[in-house]
Amino acid sequence: MTTAHVIADDSEALAVAAALADDFRAGASQRDADRTLPREELDRLSASGLLAVTVPAEHGGTDVTAGTLAEIFRLLATADGSLAQIPQSHFAYVNVIRRQGTPQQQKFFFAELLAGRRFGNAQSEAGTKHVQDIRTRLEPLPDGSYLLNGVKHYSTGALFADWIPVLARDDNGHLQVAFVPSDAPGLTVIDDWDGMGQRTTASGTVRLVGVPVPADRVFPHHLTFRGPQLHGAFAQLLHAAIDAGIAAGALAEAAEFVRTKSRPWFESGAETAVEDPLLIQRFGELALQVRTAEALLREAARAADRARAGLTDDSAAEASIAVAAAKVRAAQAAVEVAGALFEVAGTRSALNSLNLHRHWRDARTHTLHDPARWKIQHIGRYVLNGTRPPRHGLL
């Protein structure tokens, strides 16, 4: 792709996202059932300009609010829980460029974004001690460039990317991000993702064997966490938006199924399922879960925007805690509402041919990204003892 539309403002960004979500919804079930990767849909997403909406205004971008970006992700996830997940890391690494890039690096990569280029991710590793045990190495060469060696897993977006940001440690053990073009020698992206949910994210393996990296493609990510930062809060806000969108999409499909296909339970005395008082009650309860998740998502986005406008230890902590609360509630809503779809729709909804279980599979898979129980711990410590959450990128 060489050109992309440049979105004018937040309102246009939301309108474009809503229109694309409506289009993407039509084929989402079939793509999931057949595991048809959404290459055409991603090309449309790139061409729309949505992937460049956080480029700073001084570089020609829109620089939308966190609230707008979260709503973009929520809208996309109401349509397709896989498709919405693919650009999540893309925006996280745009933030790395904003925070740690030199003026020259920013000029180059922001121009790439405005042209419609996509970032993937190669950060997580399997078989290590824990999620932050990064063993991929960035080895210096005498001319100032580097070689990358390692193996990455859960590399969402890498298969569709123009640039793959790779998380690695240098000789000093410092965390760096190396931006590698998808056609770099020694780089192999393997489509071996076989998750039960988010089946079309292609979240497979990336192998790096002596991949050459020029010095100006490396960003000192370890500096991100040395002061107040929103890197983790921003990334987690998008995860929360995806969960909230999956919940809303499942509720909408459940309501449509009950309106058009379900029969009333004979004891209700109702002529149609939509008149069944117990079903009406259950839909009210599920709607409350979705609305609560959406409200906490909006509150978290506002906290992130406030913190960005005046970044301090306190404002960053408030944003992280607000996002953690939104993420916990959205994850609960996604899993519970997507599971309740079958409860309210009845036996027919379990038919594999209808593929209604994709909502629950997407929710259950996505909510495994990082444990909600630790977010609740950090919320409790903050409320009870005033302990600020740690700066490790997952809060």
Side-chain angles (χ1 to χ4, degrees), residues 60-94:
T62 315
D63 203 7
V64 300
T65 66
T68 293
L69 190 63
E71 181 63 5
I72 289 169
F73 271 78
R74 192 196 69 82
L75 287 167
L76 293 174
T78 65
D80 187 333
S82 284
L83 187 57
Q85 175 64 29
I86 292 170
Q88 189 273 338
S89 290
H90 169 98
F91 285 98
Y93 284 107
V94 175

Side-chain angles (χ1 to χ4, degrees), residues 40-217:
E40 180 182 342
E41 288 77 15
L42 283 171
D43 285 344
R44 290 186 60 193
L45 195 61
S46 295
S48 75
L50 282 180
L51 297 184
V53 292
T54 58
V55 171
E58 59 266 30
H59 288 271
T62 315
D63 203 7
V64 300
T65 66
T68 293
L69 190 63
E71 181 63 5
I72 289 169
F73 271 78
R74 192 196 69 82
L75 287 167
L76 293 174
T78 65
D80 187 333
S82 284
L83 187 57
Q85 175 64 29
I86 292 170
Q88 189 273 338
S89 290
H90 169 98
F91 285 98
Y93 284 107
V94 175
N95 271 1
V96 172
I97 296 169
R98 290 184 64 140
R99 187 171 175 92
Q100 301 302 340
T102 65
Q104 293 78 17
Q105 287 174 318
Q106 291 178 348
K107 180 179 179 181
F108 175 80
F109 279 108
F110 289 149
E112 288 285 282
L113 290 166
L114 290 169
R117 306 285 190 262
R118 293 194 290 265
F119 297 163
N121 101 77
Q123 52 188 25
S124 292
E125 299 179 13
T128 56
K129 185 177 181 181
H130 50 68
V131 71
Q132 293 200 323
D133 181 13
I134 302 297
R135 299 183 184 180
T136 298
R137 287 296 178 263
L138 192 64
E139 302 168 14
L141 296 176
D143 65 358
S145 67
Y146 300 88
L147 289 180
L148 261 179
N149 289 283
V151 180
K152 299 291 188 176
H153 299 269
Y154 311 116
S155 302
T156 304
L159 192 68
F160 313 109
D162 300 289
W163 292 91
I164 302 176
V166 181
L167 209 56
R169 294 197 184 275
D170 61 20
D171 281 356
N172 297 315
H174 292 148
L175 207 56
Q176 308 282 351
V177 174
F179 279 70
V180 179
S182 58
D183 59 355
L187 169 71
T188 307
V189 181
I190 305 167
D191 181 20
D192 58 356
W193 171 243
D194 67 346
M196 68 171 181
Q198 296 196 307
R199 297 183 65 210
T200 61
T201 58
S203 301
T205 302
V206 171
R207 296 187 182 278
L208 306 136
V209 181
V211 177
V213 183
D216 63 356
R217 297 295 180 260

